Amino acid sequence: AGGLSPSAAEALLLELARRPPPAVPMLRASRVGVALRRCERHNHAQVAAIASHVLASWRSAAEAEDRRNRRVAALGAASEGEARSGAAASRADISLAPARAHAVVLIGEALSVDSAEPGEPKAEFGQPAAGPRTAADVAVAVEAEVYKAVGKATGKAYQARCRSLASLLRAPRAAELRANVRAGRCSVEEFCGFRAPGGVVFP
């Protein structure tokens, strides 16, 4: 914006402020942040203030994306081997859809909580349970089923369903349910519909 008039620079920065923050890879590739930092030192106070606001917003979004990506990586929620679950989502798919990445982590962590039941071993996320699938496999499949069920959108219905399923898995007496879902004794479709294999509706 160095070659622009203050009014043109202000209009451009306001347009950037109205748009969602770009993804971190795009920021690194475009180096637009360097230009914004120069705008922070602009002689026109309004231009400098808007540039500072945009940078702060982008920095906050980048930090949130970095935290989310670390959780996804740590939990192994996006391995390419998810295809065997029949509802695959690749690492690229998840990184491009923050709401879906968050849902996968939320469900995966719920599948992996320590049980309150005496004698049940800790279910480590990414480690095999009673069946060949990991909690990561199941979390990706559950999220994909919810996404499909709500019309491939990540609005309020999607978010509420994912939170509800995660809460169900985290319930103090849900150790058996977690084991059944991970082992495949309760299918992803049955679990997402709150139905046990015998047709009993979960509370």
Side-chain angles (χ1 to χ4, degrees):
L4 299 176
S5 68
S7 60
E10 184 176 333
L12 176 61
L13 289 167
L14 285 171
E15 179 61 27
L16 289 177
R18 281 191 287 266
R19 296 184 179 186
V24 171
M26 183 182 297
L27 279 175
R28 289 173 179 162
S30 66
R31 297 182 62 80
V32 68
V34 175
L36 278 176
R37 282 193 290 274
R38 286 200 297 267
C39 288
E40 278 191 301
R41 300 188 294 273
H42 201 282
N43 292 331
H44 194 280
Q46 186 69 2
V47 170
I50 299 171
S52 181
H53 168 77
V54 172
L55 268 176
S57 173
W58 287 7
R59 188 176 296 114
S60 176
E63 289 170 354
E65 181 180 338
D66 184 56
R67 288 193 298 271
R68 182 176 57 251
N69 288 341
R70 286 201 302 269
R71 287 175 72 192
V72 170
L75 297 174
S79 70
E80 301 232 350
E82 311 298 2
R84 65 181 179 275
S85 72
S90 70
R91 182 177 298 276
D93 292 332
I94 291 175
S95 66
L96 292 174
R100 298 189 67 188
H102 176 74
V104 169
V105 172
L106 189 70
I107 295 165
E109 289 175 343
L111 280 163
S112 307
V113 297
D114 287 340
S115 171
E117 299 295 330
E120 188 194 34
K122 179 179 179 180
E124 296 289 350
F125 197 96
Q127 297 299 319
R133 299 186 302 176
T134 66
D137 290 326
V138 181
V140 170
V142 167
E143 185 280 331
E145 180 66 21
V146 173
Y147 184 67
K148 180 178 68 175
V150 299
K152 297 188 176 180
T154 56
K156 291 183 178 180
Y158 168 88
Q159 294 170 29
R161 179 67 64 86
C162 289
R163 286 195 300 267
S164 176
L165 293 175
S167 295
L168 181 64
L169 289 167
R170 287 182 181 276
R173 297 183 180 277
E176 185 176 357
L177 173 62
R178 289 195 301 272
N180 285 339
V181 173
R182 287 189 60 177
R185 291 186 292 271
C186 175
S187 73
V188 166
E189 294 79 10
E190 288 169 331
F191 173 61
C192 289
F194 297 91
R195 292 191 304 275
V200 178
V201 178
F202 291 121

